Amino acid sequence: MQQREHHVFGPVPSRRLGRSLGVDLVPLKTCSYDCTYCQLGATTNRTLERVAFVSIPDILREVEAKLASAAAPDYITLSGSGEPTLQVKLGTLIAGIKRITDRPVAVLTNGSLLWRADVQAELRDADLVIPSLDAGDEQMFQCVNRPHPDLRLAQVVDGLAAFRKCFDGHMWLEVFALAGLTTTDEQITKIKTLLERIRPERIQVNTVARPPSEPSAQPATAAELAHIAQLLGPQTEVIAERPAAEVKDAVAARADEVLALLQRRPCTLEDVAAGLGAHRLEVAKHLEKLLRSSVIVTRQHGQHVYYQPAPDSVEPLDLSRNRGTGL
C-alpha cells in the first residue's frame, strides 16, 4: 500500500516562486508570532522552542516520492503551517534534499529566529531565504505581529542583518502592508531605515489577499502599494496576488488531492487548478462534490471566492496530520 504524504504538498502556485513544492515542518499554527493578517487563523502554540516536530528521513522519503510522481517544481519550499525554523536539523534536511534533486531550496520564514547562531548555520546551504519585516517600531511590531513575549523588534532586526552578512545565498525580504497601520509615510520611513541595515537583495511589498486572522487586517490599495514601493527604493517590487494562470497541459486531478491542497491553504478554483496542473472544469466538479458533502466551505474575500476545509467536518480521508491550511 502506498504511504500517504503528510508533510509534502503541491506543487502549489506561488506569486514569487512559480510552482512550489511545499514542505510543511511544524504543526498547524505553531509559530513565534500571532500575526493579525495570517491566513491560517490565530496561533495556538506561540513558542520560541526549537524541537523535532517531524522526522527528517520521513520528509526526505516524501520529497523523493513526490518528485518521482510529478513534474519538477521551480522550488522546493520549506514553509507550511507555522514558522519552519522552529524545526531542528534544518541543515540536515536541506542537504538531503540537495542530494535528491537539483531544484533550488527556498525557506519562507518570519525571520524571528535568525539571531540564533544555530538557525543561521542550518540555513546556510539554502538557495533562497525570504524573511519578513512588517513594522518599523516596537509598538507596531506588537500590534501587527503579536510576537512571543520574549521577542523584541530590535533583536529580530539584528538577526536579519547578521544573517545577511554570513549567508551566501539569495535573501529577499517581504514587507506586509496593512491599510491604516503600516501604509503611512512615517511607518514606511522607519521600515526603510531598518532595511538599510539589513540590505536584502530584493524587497517585496505584499498585502492581505486571503481571509485574515483578524477582520481589522485590511488590504492596502494598489496605489498605496505602489507608493510604498517607491518610498522603499528601486530594489522594491509589489507582489500583490494575481489570478492563477490557466494550465495548458492539464492532468487529471483527484478529490483527495484537491482536499489535501485546501488543507494547506485557502484557494480559489484557479489556484487549485494551477497547483495541481488540472483543468478548472474538472476541479470545479470536485469542489462542488466536497461542498455538497460539507467537507469544505466557501469564504468571500474581496472579489474572490476561496475554498477551505469546514471547521467542524469529519475528515474521512485522513490526508494530513493537520486540520486547516498551510502555505
Side-chain angles (χ1 to χ4, degrees):
M1 180 176 179
Q2 185 178 4
Q3 183 180 10
R4 253 182 231 284
E5 295 176 351
H6 291 276
H7 309 288
V8 179
F9 59 100
V12 298
S14 168
R15 286 160 285 172
R16 294 169 283 190
L17 304 177
R19 284 172 57 82
S20 169
L21 184 64
V23 181
D24 194 354
L25 297 175
V26 298
L28 180 65
K29 289 309 299 179
T30 296
C31 192
S32 51
Y33 290 171
D34 183 18
C35 297
T36 59
Y37 59 80
C38 185
Q39 67 184 25
L40 303 180
T43 294
T44 53
N45 180 21
R46 191 171 54 166
T47 181
L48 298 180
E49 183 181 4
R50 302 188 70 220
V51 300
F53 294 108
V54 298
S55 161
I56 300 301
D58 286 350
I59 291 286
L60 291 174
R61 280 191 290 269
E62 289 184 23
V63 169
E64 189 168 22
K66 190 70 173 182
L67 290 173
S69 63
D74 297 306
Y75 278 89
I76 296 175
T77 307
L78 310 187
S79 58
S81 302
E83 172 49 41
T85 60
L86 290 170
Q87 165 69 29
V88 296
K89 297 185 178 179
L90 287 177
T92 302
L93 175 59
I94 293 171
I97 292 173
K98 287 182 171 292
R99 286 193 296 269
I100 295 171
T101 178
D102 61 357
R103 296 291 84 192
V105 176
V107 181
L108 302 185
T109 170
N110 62 26
S112 62
L113 297 182
L114 290 179
W115 52 270
R116 292 183 53 145
D118 58 340
V119 174
Q120 293 181 17
E122 290 176 24
L123 295 184
R124 65 185 177 188
D125 290 331
D127 299 285
L128 171 64
V129 174
I130 308 180
S132 60
L133 179 68
D134 303 325
D137 57 46
E138 184 65 30
Q139 182 178 3
M140 191 61 70
F141 179 56
Q142 296 293 330
C143 175
V144 171
N145 298 119
R146 299 188 298 196
H148 186 279
D150 292 340
L151 279 176
R152 294 293 180 269
L153 180 62
Q155 181 183 28
V156 174
V157 172
D158 286 346
L160 291 167
F163 179 70
R164 179 71 179 101
K165 291 178 181 178
C166 70
F167 181 53
D168 293 330
H170 300 288
M171 179 175 164
W172 307 343
L173 193 141
E174 180 181 71
V175 174
F176 207 91
L178 296 178
L181 289 174
T182 58
T183 53
T184 65
D185 285 4
E186 177 185 10
Q187 191 63 211
I188 296 304
T189 299
K190 290 180 179 180
I191 291 175
K192 182 177 181 180
T193 298
L194 299 178
L195 293 175
E196 288 170 351
R197 283 191 54 209
I198 301 167
R199 302 177 64 85
E201 291 177 58
R202 298 186 193 177
I203 300 166
Q204 299 180 320
V205 182
N206 199 1
T207 193
V208 179
R210 291 179 169 81
S213 174
E214 300 290 343
S216 59
Q218 292 298 306
T221 66
E224 287 174 324
L225 295 173
H227 180 63
I228 291 169
Q230 183 180 34
L231 289 179
L232 292 181
Q235 76 273 43
T236 307
E237 61 182 335
V238 174
I239 58 165
E241 184 163 304
R242 295 178 290 274
E246 188 76 41
V247 179
K248 296 180 180 179
D249 300 323
V251 299
R254 302 193 312 267
D256 61 342
E257 293 175 325
V258 172
L259 183 55
L261 181 54
L262 296 180
Q263 287 176 318
R264 300 298 181 178
R265 60 184 288 186
C267 290
T268 64
L269 185 156
E270 289 76 14
D271 287 339
V272 177
L276 298 179
H279 196 281
R280 67 190 306 276
L281 294 180
E282 181 189 6
V283 169
K285 288 188 286 186
H286 289 312
L287 291 172
E288 181 61 28
K289 290 179 182 179
L290 292 169
L291 282 169
R292 286 202 305 267
S293 62
S294 299
V295 175
I296 65 172
V297 295
T298 59
R299 187 173 176 185
Q300 184 81 29
H301 185 65
Q303 300 294 319
H304 303 289
V305 175
Y306 287 87
Y307 297 86
Q308 61 189 57
D312 57 349
S313 67
V314 177
E315 177 55 83
L317 299 176
D318 191 25
L319 289 168
S320 170
R321 75 195 193 284
N322 294 328
R323 292 292 295 137
T325 57
L327 172 67

